[in-house]
Amino acid sequence: MKTKILLYNNFWEMEWNLPSILVRDGFELINQRAHFNEADVVVFHMPNMDKAELEALKSQKRETQLWVFFSMECNLHYEWHSEKAIRDLFEITMTYSNKSDIPVPYLYPGYAKQVLNAPVSKHHNVNAFISSGFDKSDRLRILSELMGFIEIDSYGKQLNNKSLEGDQGPSTKAQIISQYKFTIAFENAIAEDYVTEKFFEPLIAGSVPVYLGAPNIDDFAPGDHCYVNVSSFSSVKELALHIVNCCNDDTQYQQYLNWKNKPLKQSFMQRLELVKNRLFLRLCDYLNERLKE
């Protein structure tokens, strides 16, 4: 008998493409809720879940059924996710937190090579791409204040002052970022381990992130002195002055790129090791160990 894993709901608006998801032998993925009672494991994408619906399902849960709390979003945006009564419904956590049973960082194995790409010549100084209105980090106020001190080309929907012609999505964004010395990389919330693509996209494109977010961001950095940490400055004005100085002094700016000539940090490589296998293969491996117990 195969262990049945039910994907209870979609990942945002995207339906799961079951044939494309790799699982270990002995496991089967399903996504029909009609099979809820026979599922051995149920994965809930929590940002899409309704609290009342989840609580109603509690009465249908079999004693041996395992529930998986899956989310890559910061809990600060979904306060009810942290309620004890909700957390107690789940046996397994699969989130961005390194303390999860199955950590799901915003990292991919290819990053080890991609972050070492040689930076292209920079024709511009600072850019920003912020479109979401989610803001538990005060990033919009900080960006607005920063724009009062230095010129920033803002392509996102928030504080927009620059049009984006021929937008082809991620490839266009990467191409634009690569032309800038610095890229605003402000998370929409500040929490330990909550480090998203906002930090890695500039590094891969050869730009230096100006980072606002996780207090342990250095654990995710591929090299020493590869980013500007907003929290290291006593004021936005001081931050702006530092950026201006770096833009006007090639020697000072180069210090943010020297890490590319050295081995990648061990802490970064250890986190890449977490994602060497695809997500559901990792879930299967965890379940194999759990079911042995």
Side-chain angles (χ1 to χ4, degrees), residues 186-241:
F186 290 0
E187 304 287 8
N188 57 34
I190 297 176
E192 184 175 348
D193 294 333
Y194 186 60
V195 180
T196 73
E197 76 285 346
K198 298 174 185 64
F199 178 65
F200 298 107
E201 285 176 344
L203 292 170
I204 291 171
S207 183
V208 177
V210 179
Y211 186 75
L212 171 72
N216 63 328
I217 180 60
D218 209 49
D219 294 340
F220 292 80
D224 291 323
H225 202 63
C226 68
Y227 64 97
V228 177
N229 195 340
V230 173
S231 67
S232 298
F233 298 86
S234 61
S235 66
V236 174
K237 183 177 182 179
E238 184 184 352
L239 169 65
L241 180 61

Tab-separated table of all heavy atoms in Angstrom, residues 186-241:
chain	number	residue	atom	x	y	z
A	186	PHE	N	13.990	45.140	0.162
A	186	PHE	CA	13.261	45.301	1.414
A	186	PHE	C	12.195	44.213	1.532
A	186	PHE	O	11.297	44.109	0.694
A	186	PHE	CB	12.569	46.671	1.473
A	186	PHE	CG	13.508	47.845	1.614
A	186	PHE	CD1	14.887	47.682	1.683
A	186	PHE	CD2	12.996	49.135	1.675
A	186	PHE	CE1	15.737	48.766	1.814
A	186	PHE	CE2	13.837	50.241	1.810
A	186	PHE	CZ	15.212	50.050	1.878
A	187	GLU	N	12.287	43.393	2.585
A	187	GLU	CA	11.274	42.368	2.822
A	187	GLU	C	9.969	43.035	3.264
A	187	GLU	O	9.971	44.145	3.803
A	187	GLU	CB	11.730	41.390	3.912
A	187	GLU	CG	13.062	40.704	3.644
A	187	GLU	CD	12.999	39.641	2.561
A	187	GLU	OE1	11.949	39.521	1.898
A	187	GLU	OE2	14.005	38.943	2.364
A	188	ASN	N	8.850	42.325	3.067
A	188	ASN	CA	7.556	42.883	3.491
A	188	ASN	C	7.266	42.622	4.963
A	188	ASN	O	6.247	43.052	5.489
A	188	ASN	CB	6.415	42.359	2.621
A	188	ASN	CG	6.318	40.839	2.621
A	188	ASN	OD1	6.600	40.180	3.623
A	188	ASN	ND2	5.907	40.268	1.498
A	189	ALA	N	8.172	41.900	5.628
A	189	ALA	CA	8.064	41.657	7.068
A	189	ALA	C	9.450	41.308	7.587
A	189	ALA	O	10.312	40.853	6.833
A	189	ALA	CB	7.076	40.531	7.358
A	190	ILE	N	9.656	41.510	8.879
A	190	ILE	CA	10.958	41.229	9.478
A	190	ILE	C	10.821	40.094	10.480
A	190	ILE	O	10.140	40.221	11.498
A	190	ILE	CB	11.520	42.490	10.172
A	190	ILE	CG1	11.756	43.601	9.141
A	190	ILE	CG2	12.823	42.163	10.911
A	190	ILE	CD1	12.229	44.914	9.734
A	191	ALA	N	11.456	38.979	10.154
A	191	ALA	CA	11.410	37.811	11.025
A	191	ALA	C	12.637	36.948	10.762
A	191	ALA	O	13.172	36.943	9.644
A	191	ALA	CB	10.143	36.998	10.786
A	192	GLU	N	13.076	36.235	11.768
A	192	GLU	CA	14.228	35.347	11.621
A	192	GLU	C	13.965	34.341	10.501
A	192	GLU	O	12.884	33.758	10.404
A	192	GLU	CB	14.492	34.606	12.929
A	192	GLU	CG	15.735	33.738	12.898
A	192	GLU	CD	16.038	33.107	14.250
A	192	GLU	OE1	15.412	33.523	15.248
A	192	GLU	OE2	16.888	32.210	14.302
A	193	ASP	N	14.961	34.160	9.635
A	193	ASP	CA	14.936	33.207	8.522
A	193	ASP	C	14.040	33.627	7.361
A	193	ASP	O	14.033	32.945	6.327
A	193	ASP	CB	14.496	31.799	8.976
A	193	ASP	CG	15.490	31.142	9.918
A	193	ASP	OD1	16.684	31.461	9.847
A	193	ASP	OD2	15.059	30.304	10.730
A	194	TYR	N	13.286	34.713	7.501
A	194	TYR	CA	12.426	35.125	6.394
A	194	TYR	C	13.246	35.951	5.411
A	194	TYR	O	13.267	37.183	5.450
A	194	TYR	CB	11.218	35.917	6.903
A	194	TYR	CG	10.210	36.246	5.812
A	194	TYR	CD1	9.585	35.231	5.094
A	194	TYR	CD2	9.898	37.566	5.506
A	194	TYR	CE1	8.668	35.525	4.095
A	194	TYR	CE2	8.974	37.867	4.512
A	194	TYR	CZ	8.371	36.843	3.806
A	194	TYR	OH	7.466	37.145	2.814
A	195	VAL	N	13.948	35.222	4.544
A	195	VAL	CA	14.825	35.825	3.534
A	195	VAL	C	14.328	35.340	2.181
A	195	VAL	O	14.425	34.151	1.868
A	195	VAL	CB	16.288	35.419	3.738
A	195	VAL	CG1	17.178	36.056	2.670
A	195	VAL	CG2	16.761	35.821	5.132
A	196	THR	N	13.800	36.248	1.367
A	196	THR	CA	13.162	35.850	0.120
A	196	THR	C	14.041	36.148	-1.095
A	196	THR	O	15.206	36.533	-0.973
A	196	THR	CB	11.818	36.576	-0.032
A	196	THR	OG1	12.061	37.959	-0.345
A	196	THR	CG2	10.986	36.483	1.243
A	197	GLU	N	13.421	35.972	-2.261
A	197	GLU	CA	14.127	36.223	-3.521
A	197	GLU	C	14.611	37.666	-3.630
A	197	GLU	O	15.514	37.967	-4.416
A	197	GLU	CB	13.216	35.881	-4.709
A	197	GLU	CG	12.121	36.883	-5.035
A	197	GLU	CD	10.940	36.855	-4.057
A	197	GLU	OE1	10.822	35.885	-3.277
A	197	GLU	OE2	10.137	37.813	-4.064
A	198	LYS	N	14.033	38.560	-2.833
A	198	LYS	CA	14.431	39.969	-2.889
A	198	LYS	C	15.925	40.144	-2.582
A	198	LYS	O	16.565	41.071	-3.076
A	198	LYS	CB	13.592	40.792	-1.908
A	198	LYS	CG	12.105	40.797	-2.210
A	198	LYS	CD	11.317	41.499	-1.135
A	198	LYS	CE	9.821	41.412	-1.370
A	198	LYS	NZ	9.306	40.025	-1.304
A	199	PHE	N	16.458	39.270	-1.751
A	199	PHE	CA	17.879	39.329	-1.393
A	199	PHE	C	18.746	38.668	-2.460
A	199	PHE	O	19.820	39.179	-2.804
A	199	PHE	CB	18.092	38.638	-0.048
A	199	PHE	CG	19.529	38.595	0.410
A	199	PHE	CD1	20.221	39.768	0.714
A	199	PHE	CD2	20.192	37.386	0.542
A	199	PHE	CE1	21.544	39.727	1.141
A	199	PHE	CE2	21.510	37.339	0.968
A	199	PHE	CZ	22.186	38.508	1.270
A	200	PHE	N	18.291	37.562	-3.025
A	200	PHE	CA	19.128	36.780	-3.929
A	200	PHE	C	19.115	37.277	-5.371
A	200	PHE	O	20.112	37.138	-6.091
A	200	PHE	CB	18.714	35.309	-3.875
A	200	PHE	CG	18.897	34.695	-2.518
A	200	PHE	CD1	17.803	34.408	-1.719
A	200	PHE	CD2	20.164	34.439	-2.023
A	200	PHE	CE1	17.965	33.864	-0.458
A	200	PHE	CE2	20.340	33.894	-0.759
A	200	PHE	CZ	19.236	33.596	0.023
A	201	GLU	N	18.011	37.845	-5.815
A	201	GLU	CA	17.935	38.320	-7.202
A	201	GLU	C	19.028	39.345	-7.538
A	201	GLU	O	19.694	39.212	-8.580
A	201	GLU	CB	16.549	38.900	-7.480
A	201	GLU	CG	15.474	37.843	-7.633
A	201	GLU	CD	14.085	38.433	-7.802
A	201	GLU	OE1	13.889	39.631	-7.503
A	201	GLU	OE2	13.185	37.685	-8.226
A	202	PRO	N	19.262	40.350	-6.700
A	202	PRO	CA	20.351	41.290	-7.008
A	202	PRO	C	21.722	40.604	-7.036
A	202	PRO	O	22.543	40.891	-7.918
A	202	PRO	CB	20.274	42.316	-5.871
A	202	PRO	CG	18.887	42.203	-5.357
A	202	PRO	CD	18.509	40.772	-5.516
A	203	LEU	N	21.972	39.714	-6.086
A	203	LEU	CA	23.270	39.037	-6.033
A	203	LEU	C	23.530	38.246	-7.307
A	203	LEU	O	24.641	38.250	-7.845
A	203	LEU	CB	23.318	38.096	-4.818
A	203	LEU	CG	23.328	38.778	-3.449
A	203	LEU	CD1	23.132	37.746	-2.341
A	203	LEU	CD2	24.630	39.536	-3.226
A	204	ILE	N	22.494	37.581	-7.807
A	204	ILE	CA	22.635	36.796	-9.033
A	204	ILE	C	22.841	37.707	-10.237
A	204	ILE	O	23.591	37.378	-11.160
A	204	ILE	CB	21.387	35.900	-9.231
A	204	ILE	CG1	21.366	34.806	-8.158
A	204	ILE	CG2	21.362	35.286	-10.620
A	204	ILE	CD1	20.074	34.007	-8.119
A	205	ALA	N	22.199	38.867	-10.221
A	205	ALA	CA	22.310	39.814	-11.336
A	205	ALA	C	23.581	40.655	-11.268
A	205	ALA	O	23.871	41.412	-12.197
A	205	ALA	CB	21.086	40.727	-11.364
A	206	GLY	N	24.335	40.531	-10.177
A	206	GLY	CA	25.577	41.288	-10.053
A	206	GLY	C	25.408	42.655	-9.443
A	206	GLY	O	26.282	43.511	-9.539
A	207	SER	N	24.253	42.874	-8.782
A	207	SER	CA	23.996	44.133	-8.090
A	207	SER	C	24.119	43.892	-6.586
A	207	SER	O	24.048	42.749	-6.126
A	207	SER	CB	22.595	44.631	-8.439
A	207	SER	OG	22.323	45.884	-7.859
A	208	VAL	N	24.304	44.957	-5.825
A	208	VAL	CA	24.464	44.836	-4.374
A	208	VAL	C	23.121	45.112	-3.693
A	208	VAL	O	22.557	46.197	-3.857
A	208	VAL	CB	25.531	45.812	-3.842
A	208	VAL	CG1	25.617	45.724	-2.312
A	208	VAL	CG2	26.881	45.515	-4.474
A	209	PRO	N	22.581	44.163	-2.926
A	209	PRO	CA	21.308	44.396	-2.242
A	209	PRO	C	21.460	45.410	-1.102
A	209	PRO	O	22.414	45.331	-0.325
A	209	PRO	CB	20.940	43.022	-1.671
A	209	PRO	CG	21.873	42.041	-2.300
A	209	PRO	CD	23.107	42.805	-2.667
A	210	VAL	N	20.515	46.322	-1.016
A	210	VAL	CA	20.373	47.180	0.156
A	210	VAL	C	19.251	46.529	0.947
A	210	VAL	O	18.078	46.689	0.611
A	210	VAL	CB	20.020	48.627	-0.231
A	210	VAL	CG1	19.863	49.486	1.016
A	210	VAL	CG2	21.101	49.204	-1.147
A	211	TYR	N	19.627	45.781	1.985
A	211	TYR	CA	18.696	44.828	2.588
A	211	TYR	C	18.047	45.318	3.874
A	211	TYR	O	18.705	45.804	4.787
A	211	TYR	CB	19.405	43.505	2.871
A	211	TYR	CG	18.461	42.432	3.362
A	211	TYR	CD1	17.601	41.789	2.483
A	211	TYR	CD2	18.394	42.089	4.707
A	211	TYR	CE1	16.704	40.828	2.921
A	211	TYR	CE2	17.500	41.126	5.165
A	211	TYR	CZ	16.655	40.498	4.261
A	211	TYR	OH	15.768	39.553	4.705
A	212	LEU	N	16.719	45.124	3.919
A	212	LEU	CA	15.924	45.347	5.126
A	212	LEU	C	15.136	44.072	5.374
A	212	LEU	O	14.352	43.646	4.517
A	212	LEU	CB	14.963	46.523	4.924
A	212	LEU	CG	13.913	46.743	6.030
A	212	LEU	CD1	14.569	47.292	7.287
A	212	LEU	CD2	12.808	47.687	5.538
A	213	GLY	N	15.360	43.440	6.539
A	213	GLY	CA	14.627	42.215	6.785
A	213	GLY	C	15.176	41.388	7.920
A	213	GLY	O	15.415	41.910	9.013
A	214	ALA	N	15.364	40.114	7.666
A	214	ALA	CA	15.721	39.142	8.696
A	214	ALA	C	16.935	39.563	9.515
A	214	ALA	O	17.962	39.948	8.947
A	214	ALA	CB	15.991	37.778	8.064
A	215	PRO	N	16.835	39.489	10.838
A	215	PRO	CA	17.970	39.862	11.685
A	215	PRO	C	19.172	38.932	11.520
A	215	PRO	O	20.303	39.325	11.806
A	215	PRO	CB	17.397	39.782	13.107
A	215	PRO	CG	16.214	38.882	12.997
A	215	PRO	CD	15.653	39.114	11.637
A	216	ASN	N	18.926	37.708	11.018
A	216	ASN	CA	20.033	36.768	10.800
A	216	ASN	C	20.378	36.645	9.319
A	216	ASN	O	20.764	35.577	8.836
A	216	ASN	CB	19.698	35.392	11.379
A	216	ASN	CG	18.492	34.737	10.715
A	216	ASN	OD1	17.566	35.420	10.281
A	216	ASN	ND2	18.508	33.416	10.638
A	217	ILE	N	20.249	37.746	8.601
A	217	ILE	CA	20.511	37.740	7.159
A	217	ILE	C	21.920	37.252	6.832
A	217	ILE	O	22.143	36.621	5.789
A	217	ILE	CB	20.293	39.158	6.565
A	217	ILE	CG1	20.554	39.161	5.053
A	217	ILE	CG2	21.128	40.198	7.266
A	217	ILE	CD1	19.661	38.226	4.277
A	218	ASP	N	22.866	37.484	7.708
A	218	ASP	CA	24.238	37.075	7.410
A	218	ASP	C	24.367	35.567	7.254
A	218	ASP	O	25.275	35.090	6.566
A	218	ASP	CB	25.192	37.579	8.499
A	218	ASP	CG	26.599	37.821	7.960
A	218	ASP	OD1	26.720	38.485	6.911
A	218	ASP	OD2	27.555	37.323	8.560
A	219	ASP	N	23.455	34.806	7.862
A	219	ASP	CA	23.480	33.347	7.710
A	219	ASP	C	23.141	32.929	6.284
A	219	ASP	O	23.434	31.806	5.873
A	219	ASP	CB	22.474	32.692	8.663
A	219	ASP	CG	22.845	32.877	10.128
A	219	ASP	OD1	24.021	33.154	10.408
A	219	ASP	OD2	21.951	32.740	10.984
A	220	PHE	N	22.485	33.810	5.536
A	220	PHE	CA	22.071	33.502	4.167
A	220	PHE	C	22.992	34.117	3.120
A	220	PHE	O	22.847	33.831	1.929
A	220	PHE	CB	20.649	34.016	3.934
A	220	PHE	CG	19.599	33.288	4.722
A	220	PHE	CD1	19.384	33.579	6.066
A	220	PHE	CD2	18.815	32.314	4.130
A	220	PHE	CE1	18.411	32.912	6.797
A	220	PHE	CE2	17.842	31.646	4.853
A	220	PHE	CZ	17.643	31.934	6.191
A	221	ALA	N	23.901	34.965	3.548
A	221	ALA	CA	24.777	35.670	2.608
A	221	ALA	C	25.819	34.721	2.028
A	221	ALA	O	26.458	33.967	2.760
A	221	ALA	CB	25.466	36.835	3.318
A	222	PRO	N	26.012	34.739	0.712
A	222	PRO	CA	27.002	33.846	0.092
A	222	PRO	C	28.446	34.252	0.379
A	222	PRO	O	29.363	33.428	0.254
A	222	PRO	CB	26.684	33.945	-1.392
A	222	PRO	CG	26.039	35.283	-1.556
A	222	PRO	CD	25.254	35.497	-0.288
A	223	GLY	N	28.642	35.510	0.749
A	223	GLY	CA	29.995	35.978	1.028
A	223	GLY	C	29.976	37.113	2.031
A	223	GLY	O	28.927	37.708	2.306
A	224	ASP	N	31.135	37.403	2.590
A	224	ASP	CA	31.245	38.520	3.525
A	224	ASP	C	31.146	39.844	2.773
A	224	ASP	O	31.689	39.990	1.668
A	224	ASP	CB	32.580	38.457	4.273
A	224	ASP	CG	32.652	37.277	5.232
A	224	ASP	OD1	31.613	36.957	5.844
A	224	ASP	OD2	33.734	36.673	5.339
A	225	HIS	N	30.474	40.811	3.373
A	225	HIS	CA	30.369	42.167	2.828
A	225	HIS	C	29.807	42.150	1.404
A	225	HIS	O	30.346	42.798	0.494
A	225	HIS	CB	31.747	42.840	2.836
A	225	HIS	CG	31.670	44.345	2.811
A	225	HIS	ND1	31.093	45.095	3.809
A	225	HIS	CD2	32.114	45.244	1.891
A	225	HIS	CE1	31.184	46.376	3.506
A	225	HIS	NE2	31.789	46.491	2.337
A	226	CYS	N	28.700	41.403	1.216
A	226	CYS	CA	28.092	41.322	-0.119
A	226	CYS	C	26.788	42.114	-0.201
A	226	CYS	O	26.134	42.117	-1.244
A	226	CYS	CB	27.858	39.874	-0.514
A	226	CYS	SG	26.592	39.011	0.464
A	227	TYR	N	26.404	42.769	0.888
A	227	TYR	CA	25.154	43.526	0.902
A	227	TYR	C	25.279	44.692	1.874
A	227	TYR	O	26.164	44.727	2.737
A	227	TYR	CB	23.981	42.635	1.322
A	227	TYR	CG	24.095	42.106	2.740
A	227	TYR	CD1	23.447	42.742	3.797
A	227	TYR	CD2	24.867	40.981	3.036
A	227	TYR	CE1	23.568	42.274	5.103
A	227	TYR	CE2	24.989	40.497	4.323
A	227	TYR	CZ	24.339	41.143	5.353
A	227	TYR	OH	24.463	40.680	6.641
A	228	VAL	N	24.381	45.647	1.736
A	228	VAL	CA	24.276	46.777	2.660
A	228	VAL	C	23.108	46.475	3.592
A	228	VAL	O	21.984	46.272	3.132
A	228	VAL	CB	24.027	48.100	1.913
A	228	VAL	CG1	23.853	49.248	2.912
A	228	VAL	CG2	25.158	48.403	0.948
A	229	ASN	N	23.370	46.437	4.885
A	229	ASN	CA	22.334	46.117	5.860
A	229	ASN	C	21.739	47.404	6.417
A	229	ASN	O	22.421	48.168	7.114
A	229	ASN	CB	22.912	45.265	6.993
A	229	ASN	CG	21.832	44.604	7.823
A	229	ASN	OD1	20.678	45.027	7.818
A	229	ASN	ND2	22.199	43.555	8.544
A	230	VAL	N	20.468	47.646	6.118
A	230	VAL	CA	19.803	48.875	6.558
A	230	VAL	C	19.880	49.032	8.074
A	230	VAL	O	20.055	50.148	8.589
A	230	VAL	CB	18.326	48.884	6.095
A	230	VAL	CG1	17.579	50.075	6.689
A	230	VAL	CG2	18.257	48.928	4.577
A	231	SER	N	19.790	47.937	8.807
A	231	SER	CA	19.775	47.996	10.272
A	231	SER	C	21.118	48.419	10.859
A	231	SER	O	21.208	48.714	12.053
A	231	SER	CB	19.364	46.638	10.858
A	231	SER	OG	20.339	45.647	10.596
A	232	SER	N	22.157	48.467	10.035
A	232	SER	CA	23.479	48.869	10.520
A	232	SER	C	23.628	50.382	10.614
A	232	SER	O	24.644	50.875	11.129
A	232	SER	CB	24.573	48.315	9.600
A	232	SER	OG	24.560	46.904	9.591
A	233	PHE	N	22.643	51.105	10.118
A	233	PHE	CA	22.733	52.566	10.085
A	233	PHE	C	21.758	53.195	11.078
A	233	PHE	O	20.658	52.685	11.292
A	233	PHE	CB	22.460	53.072	8.665
A	233	PHE	CG	23.465	52.585	7.659
A	233	PHE	CD1	23.305	51.355	7.035
A	233	PHE	CD2	24.600	53.328	7.372
A	233	PHE	CE1	24.242	50.885	6.124
A	233	PHE	CE2	25.548	52.872	6.466
A	233	PHE	CZ	25.365	51.642	5.850
A	234	SER	N	22.178	54.276	11.661
A	234	SER	CA	21.383	54.930	12.699
A	234	SER	C	20.214	55.725	12.130
A	234	SER	O	19.272	56.062	12.854
A	234	SER	CB	22.271	55.856	13.540
A	234	SER	OG	22.846	56.868	12.725
A	235	SER	N	20.266	56.038	10.841
A	235	SER	CA	19.187	56.801	10.213
A	235	SER	C	19.185	56.532	8.714
A	235	SER	O	20.167	56.043	8.148
A	235	SER	CB	19.374	58.299	10.454
A	235	SER	OG	20.541	58.767	9.781
A	236	VAL	N	18.072	56.853	8.084
A	236	VAL	CA	17.969	56.704	6.635
A	236	VAL	C	18.937	57.660	5.944
A	236	VAL	O	19.527	57.326	4.912
A	236	VAL	CB	16.517	56.963	6.175
A	236	VAL	CG1	16.423	56.960	4.656
A	236	VAL	CG2	15.574	55.925	6.765
A	237	LYS	N	19.115	58.831	6.531
A	237	LYS	CA	20.054	59.803	5.953
A	237	LYS	C	21.476	59.254	5.950
A	237	LYS	O	22.214	59.423	4.967
A	237	LYS	CB	20.000	61.117	6.750
A	237	LYS	CG	20.881	62.217	6.180
A	237	LYS	CD	20.722	63.515	6.961
A	237	LYS	CE	21.571	64.618	6.360
A	237	LYS	NZ	21.409	65.902	7.103
A	238	GLU	N	21.860	58.586	7.026
A	238	GLU	CA	23.196	57.989	7.096
A	238	GLU	C	23.345	56.883	6.049
A	238	GLU	O	24.390	56.751	5.405
A	238	GLU	CB	23.450	57.426	8.498
A	238	GLU	CG	24.855	56.866	8.682
A	238	GLU	CD	25.053	56.231	10.040
A	238	GLU	OE1	24.160	56.352	10.903
A	238	GLU	OE2	26.108	55.585	10.235
A	239	LEU	N	22.296	56.099	5.878
A	239	LEU	CA	22.294	55.051	4.855
A	239	LEU	C	22.459	55.666	3.473
A	239	LEU	O	23.254	55.183	2.656
A	239	LEU	CB	20.982	54.264	4.930
A	239	LEU	CG	20.678	53.310	3.781
A	239	LEU	CD1	21.700	52.181	3.730
A	239	LEU	CD2	19.252	52.736	3.915
A	240	ALA	N	21.708	56.734	3.207
A	240	ALA	CA	21.777	57.396	1.904
A	240	ALA	C	23.172	57.919	1.623
A	240	ALA	O	23.700	57.777	0.506
A	240	ALA	CB	20.762	58.548	1.857
A	241	LEU	N	23.798	58.508	2.641
A	241	LEU	CA	25.146	59.044	2.479
A	241	LEU	C	26.136	57.930	2.129
A	241	LEU	O	27.006	58.109	1.273
A	241	LEU	CB	25.583	59.760	3.760
A	241	LEU	CG	26.984	60.392	3.744
A	241	LEU	CD1	27.069	61.452	2.645
A	241	LEU	CD2	27.301	61.017	5.101
